[in-house]
Amino acid sequence: MSKFEALSDKALSLVGQAGDSLRHAIPDSAEKWLQTGVALGAARTGTKLAGGFLRRNPAILAATAIGAGLVWVAARQYKKRKETGAVEGSSRRIEPTRAPARKRTTARRGAAASRSSD
C-alpha cells in the first residue's frame, strides 16, 4: 500500500465521517424547513384561489363579513349577560281587561255651536 493509497483511504474515511455527522444533524432542521415551506406554499395557493373566487363573487364576502359581525355581537352580549349574572326566569301572559266604553256627546262646542244657534 503506497502513501497515496493510504492518504486517499484516510480522506475517504474523513469524508464518510463528515457525511454521517451531517446526515444525523441536518434532518431535524431540514424537516422543519420543509414543513414550513409546505405550509407557506399551501397558504399562498389558498390565498390566490380565495382572492380570485371572491373577486368574482363579492356578495359572498359581504355576507361573510355580516355573519362574522353578527356572531361577534352575539358573543359579546352573551359574555356581558354572564358577567352581570342576569337571572333567567319564567313569565306568563296576563290578558288585558277592557274598560267600559265612554259615552260620546254629539253637540259641537266652540264657534260652530254658536253659529248654529243664531
Side-chain angles (χ1 to χ4, degrees), residues 10-34:
K10 182 80 169 170
L12 284 175
S13 67
L14 286 174
V15 168
Q17 287 175 356
D20 288 340
S21 65
L22 284 177
R23 221 177 290 133
H24 292 297
I26 289 181
D28 294 336
S29 62
E31 186 177 338
K32 289 178 187 176
W33 280 106
L34 182 63

Side-chain angles (χ1 to χ4, degrees), residues 3-14:
K3 288 184 180 182
F4 184 70
E5 289 175 356
L7 188 59
S8 65
D9 287 339
K10 182 80 169 170
L12 284 175
S13 67
L14 286 174

Side-chain angles (χ1 to χ4, degrees), residues 6-89:
L7 188 59
S8 65
D9 287 339
K10 182 80 169 170
L12 284 175
S13 67
L14 286 174
V15 168
Q17 287 175 356
D20 288 340
S21 65
L22 284 177
R23 221 177 290 133
H24 292 297
I26 289 181
D28 294 336
S29 62
E31 186 177 338
K32 289 178 187 176
W33 280 106
L34 182 63
Q35 289 175 349
T36 305
V38 168
L40 286 173
R44 186 175 174 195
T45 303
T47 304
K48 282 183 181 180
L49 287 174
F53 182 75
L54 291 176
R55 241 181 263 119
R56 280 176 270 152
N57 304 303
I60 293 174
L61 180 64
T64 303
I66 291 170
L70 290 174
V71 168
W72 178 73
V73 168
R76 206 171 98 200
Q77 288 177 349
Y78 177 77
K79 184 180 175 184
K80 281 184 182 179
R81 259 191 253 125
K82 286 291 184 182
E83 286 176 356
T84 59
V87 178
E88 300 264 343

